[in-house]
Amino acid sequence: MTREHPLVSVIIPSYNRSEVLRLCLDAVAAQTYPHIEVIVVDDCGTEDAAHVAASRGATVIRTRVNGGPTPARNLGAEHATGEILFFLDADIALDPDAVENAVRILRADPRLGALGGILRPESLLTQSRAAQYRALQMHRWWMPAHRPTLELHASVLAVPAKVFAEVGPFDPRLRETVSSDYRVRVTRSYTVKLSDAVRGRKDHDATVPTILRKVFRRARLSALDWREGETPGDSVPRAVGGVLLLAAVPALALPKVAGRAGALVPPALVAAAVALDAGTHRFAYAQRGAAFGLYFSGVHLAVTFTGALGGAVGVAQRFALARLDRLARLAAQE
């Protein structure tokens, strides 16, 4: 990265939701850094997202089949001409100085191979209580800026083009661990960083059932996709909390066996799970007050439990598939 003002290719995978894409593109157009090309990859959408992108001056590329954001990001990178690739999800509106800050940080450290951004604690468009919960939770839990983290997320990620060419594209075979896999590959030769100087607001899901379905699916697939070398990082305490919540369910039967003493076990397990993620609960109360804090805590326990359940199902499926694979190899040898 030798030029003082390198060209930045903002690559946006898009599938429908043109009203949110419009906000995303407006935010890119409002960036304080002027040297930007915008590439929108239309993943076989049925809405007018491609027209919206073209009307705002973006280069529009269309995938041959609907394959999800990972192949779309890779396709966009193939058409990019910038020295920096800035991957951005279509439901995120960047702060005006996000790209400028990313360029500054990357230029200051030649060993930095990937720079992740964070999400603001407010939802972009949807303002239901569930969306507000998710905005706070993801800001604090999923993409924390207040402490060191090993996580990167392809939804807001800046990578020097030469690093992307050297490391290779995102692995399209992965579903929910593609960002973790990419971090592992980058850190073999470079450092990675997460910075709160690169921020954006994401449009979050409107209902709790939708959130729980996504949490379960992602946790299950993450357990299936996990590869050697990936580390849970900051997620260890919340993973333990989820296990405690799972254990609280069969513990409800303890009073029949152990009497009153057994009745104390389930609430103790729930209390321990809350304590392990106490900072998240305190953050919600401080941000939105006691009334919303109570709502947040209830939904957050459900999300933590659902994530642990999805992970447990994924682990069980992983062992079952491994056993079937061993049996198939043994049968082939006979």
Side-chain angles (χ1 to χ4, degrees), residues 11-251:
I11 300 167
I12 305 172
S14 173
Y15 180 70
N16 295 334
R17 301 215 59 200
S18 55
E19 79 285 0
V20 178
L21 175 63
R22 188 175 289 108
L23 297 177
C24 172
L25 291 171
D26 287 347
V28 173
Q31 291 297 301
T32 57
Y33 190 81
H35 309 287
I36 293 175
E37 69 170 2
V38 184
I39 300 173
V40 173
V41 184
D42 182 15
D43 194 20
C44 293
T46 59
E47 294 184 4
D48 63 343
H51 174 74
V52 168
S55 69
R56 281 161 168 72
T59 298
V60 180
I61 303 166
R62 188 174 176 86
T63 60
R64 294 183 179 180
V65 296
N66 176 253
T70 298
R73 292 184 186 109
N74 290 338
L75 181 60
E78 291 176 10
H79 289 78
T81 62
E83 294 178 55
I84 297 175
L85 308 182
F86 195 117
F87 298 98
L88 178 67
D89 277 4
D91 60 355
I92 297 175
L94 293 173
D95 284 10
D97 60 353
V99 173
E100 182 176 2
N101 289 337
V103 171
R104 172 178 53 79
I105 294 169
L106 286 170
R107 282 181 53 81
D109 185 359
R111 297 306 306 163
L112 186 58
L115 175 67
I118 71 162
L119 299 180
R120 283 193 171 274
E122 309 91 20
S123 182
L124 175 60
L125 188 62
T126 307
Q127 296 301 322
S128 66
R129 288 203 301 171
Q132 293 177 48
Y133 157 79
R134 191 65 161 156
L136 286 171
Q137 180 254 330
M138 290 182 74
H139 172 79
R140 170 77 191 191
W141 211 34
W142 187 53
M143 302 180 79
H146 58 283
R147 55 191 172 148
T149 180
L150 294 175
E151 297 299 326
L152 287 177
H153 298 277
S155 55
V156 189
L157 182 66
V159 182
K162 67 178 185 65
V163 174
F164 193 81
E166 178 184 335
V167 174
F170 299 109
D171 191 337
R173 298 169 298 175
L174 301 180
R175 293 155 289 187
E176 297 298 337
T177 59
V178 61
S179 297
S180 297
D181 170 76
Y182 196 73
R183 171 184 55 78
V184 169
R185 289 158 55 200
V186 171
T187 52
R188 290 171 184 158
S189 303
Y190 299 91
T191 61
V192 299
K193 183 178 182 180
L194 188 71
S195 175
D196 60 0
V198 182
R199 294 189 175 211
R201 283 189 299 156
K202 176 181 173 65
D203 192 55
H204 291 280
D205 293 311
T207 67
V208 172
T210 301
I211 293 172
L212 294 180
R213 283 194 297 271
K214 285 189 175 181
V215 167
F216 180 87
R217 175 181 176 276
R218 288 171 179 171
R220 182 180 68 83
L221 294 179
S222 291
L224 281 172
D225 284 344
W226 182 85
R227 295 183 174 185
E228 186 176 354
E230 297 174 7
T231 55
D234 293 331
S235 65
V236 171
R238 68 177 184 247
V240 174
V243 171
L244 293 176
L245 291 176
L246 285 179
V249 174

